[in-house]
Amino acid sequence: MSAATEAAVGGRRPAPRIRRGLRLAVSQGQFLTVLAGVFLILMLLMIVQDGAGTAGNEVWRGLVLGAIYALIAVGYTLVYGIIELINFAHGDVFTLSAFYSIFLAGIPGVQEGFFKRFFGFDINHLAGSSPGGLVLALLIIFPISMILAGLTGVLIERVAYRRLRNAPRLAPLITAVGVSFLLEGIMFAFFVPQPRPASRDWAPRGGLSHR
């Protein structure tokens, strides 16, 4: 018999822990109710102003973006719960995973992918051919990107974090910020297009001519 049942049978007041749990559940329920009401009001306003199609698209975008935020938040929580480290490079590893996918598949008309360059296999053409081709392309890209992201995490832990396991908390925190900056610099160096310099012969229309 649980503590709550015994308290109810004996006529005694619930234990403090049970009372705190009940208050927390009630407050969470009230918060969710208010949140759902605000969401419904905003949805109705959007439907009236922009139509149901626009409202549906915005809800879909919000769900996709929220899923990305939730996935990153789960990663932060797991890392902090296990080693009590706020890994500021966690989001950069996610971003790098997306660039791994771009490196493997390429961008049509902009960048040639790894598979097409070395194996003559165009994943973008496969993904655009049919829904089954899209699923097959994702089944190829996702495992490879996840493996590369996992290897990146292992490399970061071995090089940067493991030797600071018993150091003061400020040391791994600063190291995590440095690793974040390092990954961002690598992504800027390898994946961001370089700006093209302007031609020396170019001059604005109506500008002063060189003498």
Side-chain angles (χ1 to χ4, degrees):
M1 185 179 294
S2 63
T5 306
E6 291 177 357
V9 172
R12 298 190 302 271
R13 296 180 62 185
R17 181 178 300 177
I18 297 176
R19 292 201 301 270
R20 288 196 299 269
L22 292 175
R23 287 197 297 268
L24 181 61
V26 171
S27 63
Q28 288 179 346
Q30 293 175 349
F31 173 74
L32 292 176
T33 302
V34 173
L35 189 63
V38 173
F39 174 75
L40 291 177
I41 292 173
L42 293 176
M43 280 293 298
L44 290 175
L45 291 175
M46 190 180 299
I47 291 173
V48 171
Q49 292 181 357
D50 302 322
T54 302
N57 290 332
E58 292 299 325
V59 171
W60 174 254
R61 293 172 186 171
L63 289 174
V64 172
L65 189 61
I68 295 174
Y69 288 160
L71 185 61
I72 297 176
V74 167
Y76 273 114
T77 305
L78 287 175
V79 173
Y80 185 80
I82 295 173
I83 62 177
E84 295 184 353
L85 168 67
I86 300 177
N87 185 16
F88 287 102
H90 185 69
D92 297 284
V93 174
F94 268 84
T95 308
L96 189 60
S97 303
F99 281 112
Y100 284 149
S101 301
I102 294 174
F103 170 76
L104 294 171
I107 302 175
V110 178
Q111 178 182 344
E112 191 176 18
F114 175 82
F115 285 103
K116 186 175 181 180
R117 181 182 302 176
F118 293 98
F119 301 102
F121 176 62
D122 190 359
I123 294 184
N124 291 304
H125 178 72
L126 175 64
S129 60
S130 63
L134 175 60
V135 173
L136 181 59
L138 293 178
L139 290 177
I140 295 173
I141 290 294
F142 277 1
I144 300 176
S145 300
M146 288 188 288
I147 291 173
L148 293 176
L151 292 176
T152 302
V154 171
L155 180 63
I156 293 172
E157 194 275 335
R158 290 291 181 92
V159 174
Y161 296 153
R162 175 168 293 190
R163 60 190 66 190
L164 299 174
R165 191 70 59 83
N166 298 322
R169 289 192 174 184
L170 186 60
L173 190 66
I174 296 175
T175 304
V177 175
V179 172
S180 175
F181 288 161
L182 178 62
L183 292 179
E184 290 177 6
I186 292 174
M187 286 185 282
F188 272 109
F190 288 95
F191 298 106
V192 175
Q194 298 297 324
R196 296 181 180 180
S199 175
R200 294 181 179 179
D201 299 331
W202 177 86
R205 294 184 180 181
L208 297 176
S209 60
H210 297 282
R211 296 183 178 178

